[in-house]
Amino acid sequence: MPNWNDARPERSVFVVVPGPEQLGWSLPWCPQAHHFSLFLFQSRLPAIKVKYLFLAWLGIFVGSWAIYMHYSSYSELCRGHVCQMIICDHYRRGIISGSSCQDLCEEGTLMLQHCLSSSPTHQVYSGVWKGKEVIIKCRIEEALRGDGGPDSAPRRQLALFDKPSRGTSMDEFREMLLSFLRSCLGEQPSLGSLVARIIALADVNQDGKVSLAEAKSVWALLQVNEFLLLVSLHEKEHTAKLLGFCGDLYVTERVSHGSLYRLELPGYLRPLVPSAVHAQLNQWLAPAWPRRARITIGLLEFVEEIFHGSYGSFFLCDSSPRHIGYNGKYDCKMADLESVATEMAVRGYLKGRRCEHNSDCTYGRDCTATCDKLVKQCNGDVVQPNLAK
């Protein structure tokens, strides 16, 4: 018999106890316990199946909803094929002309690729033109208001190209342009040079004359605020360059980064992401602070350039980051000039407008005038223009 008290304390001792089967004993079998355990397992099994089936169904539902929303919003917003069809139809019929018509409609070297549209009437696409990345913009608001017939869109789009009429002389066309620019930019001594630039731009074949199709195209383009600004601010280094046009479709250079922030959520996901989370992600994905400072300096230079410029004063009435981009060197580039307005346009909007408070006298998001509470009308002078934030 070993003496367990003599065992060394640092050594562990394991005692093996034989089981009932090894001793030859037999234990009574309990059918009630067996059935009870089987019942518990079977009762848990349907619950597990239902849980996983519910999760699978929920995942399929959310995924299908996201796919449906993506394609429905895409088909609603992205109608570049309609725009191209209308433009090329007018070009082949000799109604319009432009420096990029042949590449768009015949040679296929100007191609629409990724849809960037935020409105079904304002089509914006990134694309390629002769191997270079470009931005293509086109408006089809008249086409979308058609009666649904197959010829309604081209028929209504013709209304955009009804001026000038046949028989208009070059002198009359110059007077048309000058009068239009006066109404948009005010009485400026340099408007004559701007008219000459527009006529040179319209003369696609550079034969010294402007055909009726060329005149119709450039006149329709001038009704687009951004195109008018592109022509007026063509010498500014912080604006995208105008590369070509066809009818009321125009092509600009692509800004490397079209927004100060790189995160652009699809429209169907924005309601699902809290604004605080979105703002935090934007801060993480924005450029580093020294690079932001360089972009900001460029933005201030741009505002200084357009304020009391050669063709009047321009206001930046929406300083949202989605309008302000930058290139690879972190130089500020205005990716979208829709946020810029002429002084005449702002005054015309505010003058005589009914108001109760100063906030009622706001053009865009940032250009604000005072409210005359005695007559309850907005004053025409803007007291908060250009990057007040």
Side-chain angles (χ1 to χ4, degrees), residues 261 263 276-289 292:
Y261 302 143
L263 183 65
V277 175
H278 196 189
Q280 190 65 37
L281 289 174
N282 283 341
Q283 291 183 8
W284 290 342
L285 296 172
W289 280 109
R292 291 193 220 185

Side-chain angles (χ1 to χ4, degrees), residues 124-136:
V124 182
Y125 277 79
S126 64
V128 176
W129 191 14
K130 298 178 181 179
K132 294 183 179 180
E133 294 184 338
V134 295
I135 297 295
I136 305 164

Side-chain angles (χ1 to χ4, degrees), residues 30-198:
C30 182
Q32 291 81 3
H34 175 74
H35 288 301
F36 180 71
S37 61
L38 185 62
F39 171 75
L40 286 178
F41 177 74
Q42 291 176 342
S43 63
R44 279 182 60 86
L45 190 60
I48 295 173
K49 287 183 177 180
V50 169
K51 181 176 71 174
Y52 283 109
L53 283 174
F54 174 75
L55 291 176
W57 174 83
L58 184 62
I60 293 172
F61 174 77
V62 173
S64 302
W65 176 81
I67 293 173
Y68 169 76
M69 291 298 294
H70 172 73
Y71 283 103
S72 63
S73 61
Y74 183 88
S75 61
E76 175 65 24
L77 291 177
C78 303
R79 299 173 180 264
H81 61 288
V82 177
C83 181
Q84 184 173 356
M85 176 195 69
I86 296 172
I87 289 293
C88 291
D89 176 70
H90 292 346
Y91 169 67
R92 294 186 182 102
R93 293 162 61 186
I95 299 171
I96 61 173
S97 181
S99 57
S100 57
C101 288
Q102 187 173 358
D103 294 330
L104 176 69
C105 302
E106 294 181 1
E107 298 182 1
T109 54
L110 176 58
M111 296 178 290
L112 285 69
Q113 290 185 333
H114 302 296
C115 177
L116 307 175
S117 305
S118 59
S119 167
T121 61
H122 187 197
Q123 294 296 289
V124 182
Y125 277 79
S126 64
V128 176
W129 191 14
K130 298 178 181 179
K132 294 183 179 180
E133 294 184 338
V134 295
I135 297 295
I136 305 164
K137 299 185 178 182
C138 176
R139 294 181 182 270
I140 53 174
E141 53 185 318
E142 292 297 328
L144 294 180
R145 294 174 188 169
D147 54 11
D151 299 327
S152 61
R155 226 178 23 242
R156 290 177 179 268
Q157 192 77 355
L158 280 173
L160 294 175
F161 307 109
D162 59 349
K163 292 182 181 179
S165 59
R166 185 175 298 277
T168 302
S169 65
M170 280 299 300
D171 291 337
E172 291 172 330
F173 184 54
R174 285 193 184 92
E175 188 58 36
M176 280 179 61
L177 293 175
L178 189 59
S179 176
F180 174 78
L181 293 176
R182 284 197 189 107
S183 65
C184 295
L185 304 176
E187 189 67 50
Q188 307 294 333
S190 56
L191 289 184
S193 61
L194 185 57
V195 169
R197 168 169 169 74
I198 293 172

